[in-house]
Amino acid sequence: MEIWINPACSKCRSAISLLDAEGADYTVRRYLEDVPSEDEIRAVLERLGLEPWDITRTQEAVATELGLKEWARDAGTRDRWIAALASHPGLIQRPIITADDGTAVVGRTEDAVREALSR
């Protein structure tokens, strides 16, 4: 299992605490430093069963600068969204936990983290 985190994020710290409390075997990826490639983002999206706009933090300043709220959310703009996430990893929702069964969850709640643990 791998967890993409920003150490400054309270939701990430909570997820790590729960994983530790449950004795989970996981790897931490500080995705702001070890930025995922476009292909890695595509793979995680597939595992999540989500689209790039579903994991985009649209309230961030860079999202406003890019005008993300006005971008279309369809197959024709999917690659543009993925490129934006790869170029500006701070836009990626966190934490993302890739489970051992090949799925993934956005672990913003205790229930979501427990879901990843159960897989």
Side-chain angles (χ1 to χ4, degrees), residues 19-41:
L19 292 174
D20 288 343
E22 295 296 325
D25 183 23
Y26 64 93
T27 302
V28 170
R29 180 172 186 170
R30 293 179 180 216
Y31 71 96
L32 297 178
E33 298 163 15
D34 182 8
V35 178
S37 68
E38 290 183 26
D39 286 341
E40 288 175 305
I41 292 169

Side-chain angles (χ1 to χ4, degrees), residues 1-4 29 39-51 55 78 96-106 115-116 119:
M1 159 179 324
E2 181 176 80
I3 181 169
W4 292 8
R29 180 172 186 170
D39 286 341
E40 288 175 305
I41 292 169
R42 281 186 190 88
V44 162
L45 288 167
E46 185 175 324
R47 293 176 81 165
L48 287 166
L50 297 174
E51 293 295 338
I55 65 162
R78 189 173 198 271
I96 293 177
I97 303 170
T98 56
D100 292 336
D101 70 351
T103 62
V105 298
V106 178
E115 181 182 337
R119 295 181 177 180

